[in-house]
Amino acid sequence: MKIRKATLEDYLKAAELIYQANLDLASLIVGEDTKEKTIEGLAKFFILKGNFLSYENCTIVEIDGNVVGCMITLSHDESETLSHPIIANLINKYKPGTKGYKKYIEPQLEVSESFEGEYYIDSLAVEENYRGYGLGRNLMIYAEKLALDNCCKKTSLLCSYSNDKAYRLYKSLGYNHDIDVKIKDLKYKHMVKLL
């Protein structure tokens, strides 16, 4: 197993994993309704610098030369700034007052997924055939190291109320549920850990 910084060449597999990690919200992020178009949109952002979904913010787990896991990590301040290109892309597609604007853009403008002083962990996913081998745990530990390297003493993430397995993993690593965050019609547990 190798944990490494993502490269441009990882775009397709990373986009599929980011989609998998965000099944409930992936279409919201890129403003598409089909799985294929959503993954295509995620891949386009992945290869571009200067946005939340960029390879610059992605860590990969590789086994035998195959990408089998990924996560996006960045400080709260970066996450706020790097969300702007994604929202600007949506605004170019869907003007204010349209159905698309209400569906894709308004929910993103109304919520923050992380807060001041936090190093945010997002889109953590491991290929189904590789689950249960500690890869997610290793990615989480790596994220905490990245947080400390970036002078952040607190990590955070959102966990779906329906994902009990992930919740147990985060609890076992010392994460605590502090508040609920609602995105669109879905409620998430905002979880934090002091490092």
Side-chain angles (χ1 to χ4, degrees), residues 11-12 15-16 30 38-48:
Y11 78 98
L12 187 55
E16 291 170 359
V30 294
T38 299
I39 290 173
E40 184 181 307
L42 293 170
K44 285 179 183 175
F45 278 112
F46 185 84
I47 62 174
L48 294 175

Side-chain angles (χ1 to χ4, degrees), residues 13-33:
K13 190 60 183 179
E16 291 170 359
L17 287 165
I18 292 167
Y19 175 82
Q20 179 184 312
N22 295 289
L23 284 177
D24 297 331
L25 297 175
S27 66
L28 180 73
I29 296 167
V30 294
E32 297 290 350
D33 283 329

Side-chain angles (χ1 to χ4, degrees), residues 5-94:
K5 188 124 178 77
T7 65
L8 286 170
E9 292 77 29
D10 299 319
Y11 78 98
L12 187 55
K13 190 60 183 179
E16 291 170 359
L17 287 165
I18 292 167
Y19 175 82
Q20 179 184 312
N22 295 289
L23 284 177
D24 297 331
L25 297 175
S27 66
L28 180 73
I29 296 167
V30 294
E32 297 290 350
D33 283 329
T34 68
K35 176 181 179 180
E36 295 75 22
K37 289 280 190 190
T38 299
I39 290 173
E40 184 181 307
L42 293 170
K44 285 179 183 175
F45 278 112
F46 185 84
I47 62 174
L48 294 175
K49 291 183 175 186
N51 75 84
F52 189 92
L53 298 169
S54 173
Y55 70 94
E56 299 168 302
N57 309 313
C58 188
T59 300
I60 295 293
V61 175
E62 185 181 292
I63 294 180
D64 298 329
N66 297 311
V67 174
V68 298
C70 78
M71 70 177 168
I72 292 173
T73 57
L74 57 171
S75 71
H76 168 73
D77 291 342
E78 290 174 302
S79 72
E80 293 286 303
T81 302
L82 295 177
S83 292
H84 294 302
I86 294 169
I87 292 170
N89 176 66
L90 289 171
I91 290 172
N92 283 336
K93 280 180 162 178
Y94 305 106

